[in-house]
Amino acid sequence: MKFSIEKIVTKDNFVLDGLFFEAVERDIAIVFIHGFPSNFCRNINLVKSIGDFGYSVLSLNTRGHDVLSIIPRVDKGYEIIGSAKENFEDCIFDIGGAVEFLKGKGYKKIFLMGISSGADKVGFYLSRNKESVILGGIFISPGSNISIARNELGEDFLKLMNESLKCIDEGKGDELLFNLIPVSCKRFVSLYSEDSSENVFPFHNNNSDFPILAKIKKPMFIALGERDSFYNNPKLLLEVLKSKLGGKSNEFKLFKVGHSFDGVEEELVCQIKAWVGRIV
């Protein structure tokens, strides 16, 4: 299978890199969205496995790739963004640009796939977009950013949240915090607030009805790793998702693997391909 580095132009005029593996038959294509603060080649074995199973796949470097990144604009200018400073809701433009690229290549059956926080972006996008060319969403190792931060920061969590809110009120929202992975004050609030658009998988809230995911009318494939250090009980979390989002087209899978699904890429893609075959 041949591959190329493509330039993906977003509706708001940013230029993103995409690693594009093109299958011989231009039938089904998958847009792959990396996690936080990753990039389009971090899960290259998984991306390559998708191609090996006969699908075209575009692994996209979002404007939130790596911690800080220089993102060029169509007008030859640039902005310094990366995961530390990105506006989460701009994923609408990033994913939309990838979809338009594939449509321009003639694809009429497109699936969106996100790993870790990339799953949040796919979920948010699908909750806002009902385009018929997009047939479903694939969510690998989704999680609750809030529970992860609370567990790792402990008593410092509320302190940092209040500090971030104060910085925003004072017009200093772009200042960086250096606890955990460096992020701006604005980004900290976006990542870890209950009412944020990033709170797509609120596993930490037993009373949540997963309102963002509930808006998605496309079929969903959700996979968790039972050895994922970010979860206390992945099996229980899948049961919660089934009870909230169960439907005949949705599939929930548990794998004996960690967060990145390293080493089981072929097994995962085989399961995904079987699910896709029941939809298309």
Side-chain angles (χ1 to χ4, degrees):
M1 174 178 288
K2 65 178 182 178
F3 72 92
S4 58
I5 301 294
E6 302 289 345
K7 299 297 182 183
I8 309 301
V9 179
T10 68
K11 194 173 181 179
D12 60 342
N13 293 320
F14 283 97
V15 182
L16 308 174
D17 291 325
L19 179 61
F20 184 43
F21 288 83
E22 188 169 20
V24 175
E25 295 184 9
R26 295 185 181 183
D27 183 22
I28 294 172
I30 293 178
V31 176
F32 182 82
I33 304 298
H34 60 77
F36 167 95
S38 192
N39 54 56
F40 68 169
C41 62
R42 166 61 183 85
N43 301 101
I44 189 61
N45 289 335
L46 177 53
V47 173
K48 187 175 181 298
S49 292
I50 296 170
D52 289 343
F53 274 77
Y55 296 144
S56 293
V57 54
L58 174 66
S59 183
L60 182 69
N61 243 0
T62 70
R63 69 190 68 195
H65 75 83
D66 298 293
V67 176
L68 289 170
S69 303
I70 297 174
I71 310 297
R73 299 184 60 90
V74 173
D75 60 9
K76 305 301 182 182
Y78 67 89
E79 290 188 25
I80 298 175
I81 307 179
S83 63
K85 293 191 172 186
E86 73 174 320
N87 173 23
F88 174 80
E89 295 187 3
D90 286 342
C91 69
I92 293 287
F93 298 122
D94 295 354
I95 297 175
V99 170
E100 289 301 314
F101 170 82
L102 291 173
K103 286 167 60 178
K105 290 283 187 179
Y107 293 95
K108 297 180 180 179
K109 299 175 183 177
I110 298 172
F111 288 84
L112 305 182
M113 179 178 183
I115 189 167
S116 192
S117 63
D120 296 334
K121 291 180 177 180
V122 167
F124 180 72
Y125 184 90
L126 289 175
S127 74
R128 299 290 187 94
N129 188 291
K130 298 177 174 60
E131 192 171 4
S132 60
V133 71
I134 301 173
L135 302 186
I138 302 165
F139 305 87
I140 311 301
S141 295
S144 165
N145 295 326
I146 295 172
S147 63
I148 293 171
R150 284 176 176 170
N151 290 337
E152 296 195 14
L153 290 171
E155 295 180 356
D156 287 337
F157 177 79
L158 288 179
K159 176 183 175 182
L160 286 168
M161 180 61 73
N162 290 332
E163 180 182 332
S164 296
L165 290 170
K166 181 180 178 182
C167 284
I168 293 171
D169 287 342
E170 294 175 350
K172 302 175 183 177
D174 288 330
E175 290 191 0
L176 294 180
L177 301 169
F178 289 93
N179 295 73
L180 298 177
I181 297 170
V183 293
S184 70
C185 294
K186 286 181 182 177
R187 185 79 169 116
F188 188 92
V189 173
S190 177
L191 277 164
Y192 307 125
S193 295
E194 291 286 349
D195 59 353
S196 170
S197 297
E198 296 198 53
N199 192 18
V200 177
F201 288 87
F203 290 134
H204 59 281
N205 184 353
N206 293 330
N207 297 317
S208 177
D209 289 324
F210 294 78
I212 294 176
L213 291 175
K215 294 177 182 178
I216 299 174
K217 305 306 178 184
K218 310 284 187 178
M220 291 182 277
F221 180 102
I222 302 176
L224 297 180
E226 63 179 34
R227 298 170 186 163
D228 194 322
S229 60
F230 291 132
Y231 310 127
N232 290 327
N233 192 336
K235 186 176 181 180
L236 177 61
L237 295 181
L238 276 183
E239 292 301 321
V240 170
L241 286 172
K242 285 181 183 179
S243 68
K244 303 288 186 179
L245 306 169
K248 63 180 182 179
S249 297
N250 294 341
E251 194 151 326
F252 308 87
K253 293 288 185 179
L254 187 66
F255 291 77
K256 294 181 179 180
V257 72
H259 188 71
S260 298
F261 271 69
D262 293 333
V264 299
E265 292 89 353
E266 290 187 5
E267 179 186 352
L268 171 62
V269 178
C270 185
Q271 294 280 355
I272 291 171
K273 188 168 185 177
W275 171 75
V276 168
R278 290 191 288 272
I279 295 171
V280 299

